[in-house]
PDB file of all heavy atoms in Angstrom:
ATOM      1  N   PHE G  21    -184.548  56.570 -67.471  1.00 83.00           N
ATOM      2  CA  PHE G  21    -185.211  57.867 -67.633  1.00 83.00           C
ATOM      3  C   PHE G  21    -185.191  58.665 -66.332  1.00 83.00           C
ATOM      4  O   PHE G  21    -184.920  59.878 -66.335  1.00 83.00           O
ATOM      5  CB  PHE G  21    -186.655  57.654 -68.096  1.00 83.00           C
ATOM      6  CG  PHE G  21    -187.436  58.915 -68.288  1.00 83.00           C
ATOM      7  CD1 PHE G  21    -187.389  59.614 -69.490  1.00 83.00           C
ATOM      8  CD2 PHE G  21    -188.226  59.422 -67.256  1.00 83.00           C
ATOM      9  CE1 PHE G  21    -188.112  60.786 -69.670  1.00 83.00           C
ATOM     10  CE2 PHE G  21    -188.949  60.593 -67.434  1.00 83.00           C
ATOM     11  CZ  PHE G  21    -188.891  61.279 -68.635  1.00 83.00           C
ATOM     12  N   GLN G  31    -197.862  60.986 -61.230  1.00 77.00           N
ATOM     13  CA  GLN G  31    -197.765  62.042 -62.234  1.00 77.00           C
ATOM     14  C   GLN G  31    -196.458  61.948 -63.007  1.00 77.00           C
ATOM     15  O   GLN G  31    -196.425  62.166 -64.223  1.00 77.00           O
ATOM     16  CB  GLN G  31    -197.879  63.421 -61.573  1.00 77.00           C
ATOM     17  CG  GLN G  31    -197.966  64.581 -62.566  1.00 77.00           C
ATOM     18  CD  GLN G  31    -199.137  64.442 -63.513  1.00 77.00           C
ATOM     19  OE1 GLN G  31    -200.267  64.245 -63.079  1.00 77.00           O
ATOM     20  NE2 GLN G  31    -198.884  64.527 -64.804  1.00 77.00           N
ATOM     21  N   GLN G  32    -195.369  61.599 -62.317  1.00 81.00           N
ATOM     22  CA  GLN G  32    -194.087  61.422 -63.004  1.00 81.00           C
ATOM     23  C   GLN G  32    -194.165  60.288 -64.027  1.00 81.00           C
ATOM     24  O   GLN G  32    -193.595  60.375 -65.117  1.00 81.00           O
ATOM     25  CB  GLN G  32    -192.979  61.152 -61.990  1.00 81.00           C
ATOM     26  CG  GLN G  32    -192.557  62.369 -61.176  1.00 81.00           C
ATOM     27  CD  GLN G  32    -191.523  62.022 -60.136  1.00 81.00           C
ATOM     28  OE1 GLN G  32    -191.740  61.124 -59.307  1.00 81.00           O
ATOM     29  NE2 GLN G  32    -190.388  62.709 -60.153  1.00 81.00           N
ATOM     30  N   LEU G  33    -194.886  59.223 -63.656  1.00 82.00           N
ATOM     31  CA  LEU G  33    -195.040  58.095 -64.572  1.00 82.00           C
ATOM     32  C   LEU G  33    -195.877  58.487 -65.782  1.00 82.00           C
ATOM     33  O   LEU G  33    -195.601  58.056 -66.905  1.00 82.00           O
ATOM     34  CB  LEU G  33    -195.678  56.913 -63.842  1.00 82.00           C
ATOM     35  CG  LEU G  33    -194.794  56.246 -62.776  1.00 82.00           C
ATOM     36  CD1 LEU G  33    -195.606  55.280 -61.943  1.00 82.00           C
ATOM     37  CD2 LEU G  33    -193.614  55.537 -63.425  1.00 82.00           C
ATOM     38  N   LYS G  34    -196.888  59.290 -65.564  1.00 79.00           N
ATOM     39  CA  LYS G  34    -197.689  59.785 -66.689  1.00 79.00           C
ATOM     40  C   LYS G  34    -196.837  60.625 -67.623  1.00 79.00           C
ATOM     41  O   LYS G  34    -196.924  60.508 -68.853  1.00 79.00           O
ATOM     42  CB  LYS G  34    -198.873  60.604 -66.177  1.00 79.00           C
ATOM     43  CG  LYS G  34    -200.014  59.792 -65.607  1.00 79.00           C
ATOM     44  CD  LYS G  34    -201.186  60.713 -65.289  1.00 79.00           C
ATOM     45  CE  LYS G  34    -202.372  59.921 -64.791  1.00 79.00           C
ATOM     46  NZ  LYS G  34    -203.522  60.815 -64.501  1.00 79.00           N
ATOM     47  N   ASN G  35    -195.994  61.494 -67.020  1.00 79.00           N
ATOM     48  CA  ASN G  35    -195.107  62.333 -67.843  1.00 79.00           C
ATOM     49  C   ASN G  35    -194.127  61.473 -68.636  1.00 79.00           C
ATOM     50  O   ASN G  35    -193.784  61.787 -69.779  1.00 79.00           O
ATOM     51  CB  ASN G  35    -194.335  63.306 -66.951  1.00 79.00           C
ATOM     52  CG  ASN G  35    -195.238  64.354 -66.317  1.00 79.00           C
ATOM     53  OD1 ASN G  35    -196.335  64.622 -66.831  1.00 79.00           O
ATOM     54  ND2 ASN G  35    -194.796  64.946 -65.223  1.00 79.00           N
ATOM     55  N   TYR G  36    -193.682  60.369 -68.021  1.00 80.00           N
ATOM     56  CA  TYR G  36    -192.769  59.451 -68.704  1.00 80.00           C
ATOM     57  C   TYR G  36    -193.435  58.853 -69.943  1.00 80.00           C
ATOM     58  O   TYR G  36    -192.832  58.813 -71.032  1.00 80.00           O
ATOM     59  CB  TYR G  36    -192.354  58.341 -67.742  1.00 80.00           C
ATOM     60  CG  TYR G  36    -191.712  57.142 -68.411  1.00 80.00           C
ATOM     61  CD1 TYR G  36    -190.393  57.165 -68.823  1.00 80.00           C
ATOM     62  CD2 TYR G  36    -192.444  55.987 -68.656  1.00 80.00           C
ATOM     63  CE1 TYR G  36    -189.811  56.068 -69.439  1.00 80.00           C
ATOM     64  CE2 TYR G  36    -191.886  54.893 -69.275  1.00 80.00           C
ATOM     65  CZ  TYR G  36    -190.560  54.942 -69.664  1.00 80.00           C
ATOM     66  OH  TYR G  36    -189.996  53.874 -70.290  1.00 80.00           O
ATOM     67  N   GLU G  37    -194.678  58.403 -69.802  1.00 81.00           N
ATOM     68  CA  GLU G  37    -195.405  57.827 -70.939  1.00 81.00           C
ATOM     69  C   GLU G  37    -195.581  58.847 -72.055  1.00 81.00           C
ATOM     70  O   GLU G  37    -195.380  58.559 -73.227  1.00 81.00           O
ATOM     71  CB  GLU G  37    -196.767  57.312 -70.488  1.00 81.00           C
ATOM     72  CG  GLU G  37    -196.739  55.937 -69.854  1.00 81.00           C
ATOM     73  CD  GLU G  37    -198.122  55.361 -69.661  1.00 81.00           C
ATOM     74  OE1 GLU G  37    -199.007  56.107 -69.204  1.00 81.00           O
ATOM     75  OE2 GLU G  37    -198.333  54.171 -69.977  1.00 81.00           O
ATOM     76  N   GLU G  38    -195.959  60.068 -71.668  1.00 79.00           N
ATOM     77  CA  GLU G  38    -196.218  61.107 -72.671  1.00 79.00           C
ATOM     78  C   GLU G  38    -194.931  61.549 -73.358  1.00 79.00           C
ATOM     79  O   GLU G  38    -194.927  61.845 -74.552  1.00 79.00           O
ATOM     80  CB  GLU G  38    -196.892  62.308 -72.007  1.00 79.00           C
ATOM     81  CG  GLU G  38    -198.287  62.012 -71.480  1.00 79.00           C
ATOM     82  CD  GLU G  38    -198.862  63.147 -70.672  1.00 79.00           C
ATOM     83  OE1 GLU G  38    -198.152  64.165 -70.488  1.00 79.00           O
ATOM     84  OE2 GLU G  38    -200.012  63.026 -70.229  1.00 79.00           O
ATOM     85  N   THR G  39    -193.833  61.588 -72.610  1.00 81.00           N
ATOM     86  CA  THR G  39    -192.558  62.063 -73.167  1.00 81.00           C
ATOM     87  C   THR G  39    -191.906  61.029 -74.071  1.00 81.00           C
ATOM     88  O   THR G  39    -191.410  61.354 -75.164  1.00 81.00           O
ATOM     89  CB  THR G  39    -191.583  62.422 -72.020  1.00 81.00           C
ATOM     90  OG1 THR G  39    -192.179  63.427 -71.197  1.00 81.00           O
ATOM     91  CG2 THR G  39    -190.260  62.948 -72.569  1.00 81.00           C
ATOM     92  N   THR G  40    -191.884  59.775 -73.639  1.00 83.00           N
ATOM     93  CA  THR G  40    -191.164  58.735 -74.380  1.00 83.00           C
ATOM     94  C   THR G  40    -192.047  57.941 -75.333  1.00 83.00           C
ATOM     95  O   THR G  40    -191.552  57.346 -76.284  1.00 83.00           O
ATOM     96  CB  THR G  40    -190.507  57.748 -73.401  1.00 83.00           C
ATOM     97  OG1 THR G  40    -191.537  57.050 -72.675  1.00 83.00           O
ATOM     98  CG2 THR G  40    -189.602  58.484 -72.416  1.00 83.00           C
ATOM     99  N   GLY G  41    -193.339  57.894 -75.044  1.00 79.00           N
ATOM    100  CA  GLY G  41    -194.226  57.057 -75.848  1.00 79.00           C
ATOM    101  C   GLY G  41    -194.162  55.590 -75.476  1.00 79.00           C
ATOM    102  O   GLY G  41    -194.813  54.755 -76.108  1.00 79.00           O
ATOM    103  N   ASN G  42    -193.390  55.267 -74.427  1.00 82.00           N
ATOM    104  CA  ASN G  42    -193.274  53.881 -73.976  1.00 82.00           C
ATOM    105  C   ASN G  42    -194.399  53.571 -72.991  1.00 82.00           C
ATOM    106  O   ASN G  42    -194.559  54.284 -71.992  1.00 82.00           O
ATOM    107  CB  ASN G  42    -191.927  53.645 -73.285  1.00 82.00           C
ATOM    108  CG  ASN G  42    -190.755  53.826 -74.227  1.00 82.00           C
ATOM    109  OD1 ASN G  42    -190.868  53.546 -75.418  1.00 82.00           O
ATOM    110  ND2 ASN G  42    -189.633  54.307 -73.696  1.00 82.00           N
ATOM    111  N   PRO G  43    -195.152  52.521 -73.232  1.00 79.00           N
ATOM    112  CA  PRO G  43    -196.240  52.184 -72.305  1.00 79.00           C
ATOM    113  C   PRO G  43    -195.699  51.577 -71.018  1.00 79.00           C
ATOM    114  O   PRO G  43    -194.687  50.876 -71.018  1.00 79.00           O
ATOM    115  CB  PRO G  43    -197.063  51.166 -73.094  1.00 79.00           C
ATOM    116  CG  PRO G  43    -196.068  50.517 -74.008  1.00 79.00           C
ATOM    117  CD  PRO G  43    -195.086  51.592 -74.376  1.00 79.00           C
ATOM    118  N   ILE G  44    -196.368  51.843 -69.919  1.00 81.00           N
ATOM    119  CA  ILE G  44    -195.990  51.244 -68.640  1.00 81.00           C
ATOM    120  C   ILE G  44    -196.651  49.872 -68.548  1.00 81.00           C
ATOM    121  O   ILE G  44    -197.860  49.752 -68.768  1.00 81.00           O
ATOM    122  CB  ILE G  44    -196.434  52.141 -67.471  1.00 81.00           C
ATOM    123  CG1 ILE G  44    -195.650  53.463 -67.517  1.00 81.00           C
ATOM    124  CG2 ILE G  44    -196.210  51.449 -66.127  1.00 81.00           C
ATOM    125  CD1 ILE G  44    -196.046  54.450 -66.455  1.00 81.00           C
ATOM    126  N   MET G 227    -205.586  57.510 -73.325  1.00 93.00           N
ATOM    127  CA  MET G 227    -205.420  57.588 -74.768  1.00 93.00           C
ATOM    128  C   MET G 227    -205.399  56.170 -75.322  1.00 93.00           C
ATOM    129  O   MET G 227    -204.792  55.272 -74.745  1.00 93.00           O
ATOM    130  CB  MET G 227    -204.110  58.289 -75.124  1.00 93.00           C
ATOM    131  CG  MET G 227    -204.086  59.780 -74.828  1.00 93.00           C
ATOM    132  SD  MET G 227    -205.247  60.728 -75.863  1.00 93.00           S
ATOM    133  CE  MET G 227    -204.549  60.472 -77.493  1.00 93.00           C
TER     134      MET G 227
END
Side-chain angles (χ1 to χ4, degrees):
F21 180 86
Q31 187 58 52
Q32 287 176 305
L33 291 169
K34 284 187 177 181
N35 292 338
Y36 165 78
E37 278 191 316
E38 294 172 358
T39 301
T40 65
N42 296 328
I44 294 177
M227 290 294 295

